[in-house]
Structures are given as C-alpha cells and as structure tokens.
Amino acid sequence: MDDPNAVNSLIETPGTSATEGHVRWNPILSLWNGGMLAAAVILGPSTISAGALCVFVATTGSVLLLGHSVGFHRRLIHRSFACPLWLERVLVWFGTIVGMSGPHGIIRTHDLRDWAQRQPACHPYLSHRSPILKDAWWQLHCRLELAHPPRFDLGRAGQDRFYRFLEASWMAQQLPIAALLWWAGGWGFVIWGVCARVAISAHGHWFVGHLAHTRGPQTLLVDGAGVQAHDVPWAGFVTMGEAWHNNHHAFPGSARIGLHPGQSDLGFAFIRLLQRTGLAWDVQTPERFADRNTMLRAVENRA
C-alpha cells in the first residue's frame, strides 16, 4: 500500500518549481461556478419552499459526506482506508456529484497544492495567501500555470474506465440529478438541489480552505513546510470533519481528522460504520504513524 502521508500521484522532476507561474482566467470553470451562483441567487428566492430546503440540506450533506470527504479525500487521494472497488466507485461518483471536479481533476488539484505547501515556498495561488477577494477570484474562476510543473501518475485511478468517464462528464453528471428532482418537485427542487448545492459547495470549499491556510487555532507545525494549516472550528461539523485542517497537515494519511475532544468528524464516523459492517479495513489513524512525529512541533493553541 502506498504511504498515506505521501503525495502519491505527483512526480518531482529536475527543475520543478512551486513558485514560478501565472494565474490565467479559466472560462469554463468561471462560467460553471458563476452560473451556479447566479442561478441560486436570482432564482432561489422565488422557488424556495420547505421541500426545496429539505432537498438542499439532504443533497448537500450527503454528497459532501459520502463523496467529497470520504470518497474523494480520504479514499481516492490519501488512501487512508481500504474498501471494495464497487464501493469506492460509488463514493467517487458522489464526489463527482458535488460539482467541483471529476476524480482525476480533484487528485491533480489536491496533490499539486499538497506538494507545494510542503516546500519552503510556493506560489500564493497554492498557499491561499492573497487577499480574500483576489483569492476567491483565483480559486473559483482561474487556473495556475506553473512554469516548471511536476508530472502526475494517477496509477489505477488514472486507468479506471469509470473514473475516466466521470472525468469527461463531471458537469453533465448533474443532468440526471436535475431531471429526477424536477420530476419529484419541479424547478424549485432543481434550483435548490443542484444550483444552490453546487454553489455553496464550491464557494464554501474555497472559503474554508482560505481560512484554513491563513488564520485560526494551531496545535502542530510541520517542519520544513512553507505553509502551515489552521483549524476552522465553526466549520468542523458542516465540512464532515475536514475543517480540522491543522490536524490533517500533521497526519495527512489519517482517516480520522478530528483528533481532539469536541472535534466532530462525521467522515470518520462513516468510515467506522463501514468498518463495523466489513466494508472498510486498514483504517489509518495517527497511532500508526509514529515516525511522523519526528516532523512535528507542538505549539500553543492560538486564534
């Protein structure tokens, strides 16, 4: 099994640089994120109902838990637990339904940022160190073109035909969801169950990510890393445990991210449920990474 704490998909080559590059407008991504937000803001108030709000909460919570947190992040990227291939594919499909990227895109985006933040210095696009409005524009509407980028080898995920299909059709994957919601409740269900859900997921992901790399409590620092992470306590529950980002930088390969008392972690609770039913095994926790402690320094908790 690959090291869950490593950046497994990325291959450094001579001359690779995490600092040199230019941010370019990405018209497709910009139209996608901007269109979803505009539809939610403009059409949301006129289509709101108790049923539409229930659909919004249920669909947003389920795709963030099953897909983004467990399927994409803890399984596909960090391989912090093992499960049957059919279950992995179901979870990855839920991750695609979040509406931020396909499986290959999310691996590349995550691992590039992960690798860059472990370097002594990296481009402000990769560190979230720009002013908040500029960072929002960059992350939601642009792409970074490094002058000397690393290579990627996505391994089995890159060869998987189902994942290739999801990568090619990740935006179109919303269409059958929209059709089902329209049949169940009309345009109100579509606006709140697709447009508002995708908009809050993408913009919320950026916002929590920005805070998690710029401010908030810290308990551990990673030696040699130019970018240190912070926890975002108010977002711990709604992000399924992902907002305990200081913990995650300390132990990237851990399936458990909420490590301390009072830190909710619904993603890990779901993995434990899978484990009890025999659908997950080799669940990684910090206790398995004793060698990792040599890279960590404790700090006083500060806001």
Side-chain angles (χ1 to χ4, degrees):
M1 184 177 180
D2 293 322
D3 179 4
N5 292 304
V7 187
N8 287 302
S9 77
L10 187 142
I11 302 172
E12 278 196 75
T13 54
T16 298
S17 171
T19 61
E20 301 175 42
H22 298 281
V23 178
R24 311 288 190 194
W25 181 54
N26 185 335
I28 296 177
L29 181 65
S30 184
L31 289 172
W32 175 258
N33 285 331
M36 288 294 179
L37 180 62
V41 171
I42 295 171
L43 300 176
S46 63
T47 58
I48 194 169
S49 67
L53 285 178
C54 287
V55 165
F56 170 73
V57 172
T59 57
T60 303
S62 61
V63 299
L64 290 179
L65 173 61
L66 302 177
H68 181 74
S69 180
V70 177
F72 269 1
H73 195 205
R74 307 193 205 201
R75 172 56 199 159
L76 193 64
I77 292 172
H78 287 293
R79 305 165 195 178
S80 62
F81 68 98
C83 66
L85 180 58
W86 68 263
L87 177 57
E88 177 189 286
R89 286 173 171 167
V90 169
L91 295 172
V92 168
W93 177 80
F94 272 99
T96 304
I97 291 300
V98 172
M100 292 192 294
S101 178
H104 296 166
I106 203 74
I107 294 173
R108 289 190 180 95
T109 299
H110 176 282
D111 283 5
L112 180 65
R113 195 180 302 274
D114 194 348
W115 163 77
Q117 291 177 358
R118 299 182 190 206
Q119 309 305 308
C122 67
H123 193 282
Y125 176 97
L126 296 167
S127 67
H128 289 285
R129 293 285 172 80
S130 295
I132 190 167
L133 292 180
K134 183 177 182 179
D135 190 53
W137 171 254
W138 276 7
Q139 305 299 331
L140 293 163
H141 299 274
C142 301
R143 67 177 180 272
L144 174 66
E145 296 179 354
L146 287 176
H148 307 287
R151 293 193 301 110
F152 288 91
D153 180 357
L154 303 187
R156 177 181 62 81
Q159 300 169 6
D160 191 295
R161 291 185 178 181
F162 181 61
Y163 295 163
R164 288 183 179 181
F165 166 70
L166 292 181
E167 183 65 27
S169 64
W170 68 270
M171 292 183 182
Q173 290 296 316
Q174 302 298 333
L175 294 177
I177 304 299
L180 181 62
L181 291 174
W182 183 85
W183 173 81
W187 287 112
F189 278 26
V190 174
I191 295 301
W192 286 91
V194 175
C195 301
R197 169 178 56 78
V198 172
I200 196 67
S201 297
H203 289 75
H205 180 265
W206 157 74
F207 184 56
V208 173
H210 178 85
L211 297 179
H213 294 99
T214 55
R215 70 203 70 171
Q218 294 174 304
T219 55
L220 293 167
L221 299 179
V222 181
D223 285 338
V227 179
Q228 302 291 341
H230 305 254
D231 291 330
V232 187
W234 62 264
F237 180 79
V238 295
T239 61
M240 312 303 163
E242 299 290 331
W244 308 114
H245 207 59
N246 183 254
N247 298 341
H248 178 60
H249 271 224
F251 300 100
S254 174
R256 183 182 180 187
I257 301 178
L259 302 181
H260 306 296
Q263 294 185 340
S264 63
D265 190 348
L266 293 178
F268 184 64
F270 181 73
I271 293 171
R272 281 298 197 203
L273 176 62
L274 293 177
Q275 187 178 35
R276 286 196 293 271
T277 59
L279 291 174
W281 57 91
D282 291 336
V283 178
Q284 307 293 314
T285 56
E287 293 77 17
R288 295 196 177 195
F289 306 130
D291 293 344
R292 180 79 180 167
N293 291 318
T294 62
M295 302 175 60
L296 304 176
R297 289 182 290 118
V299 297
E300 290 186 6
N301 197 36
R302 64 181 187 273

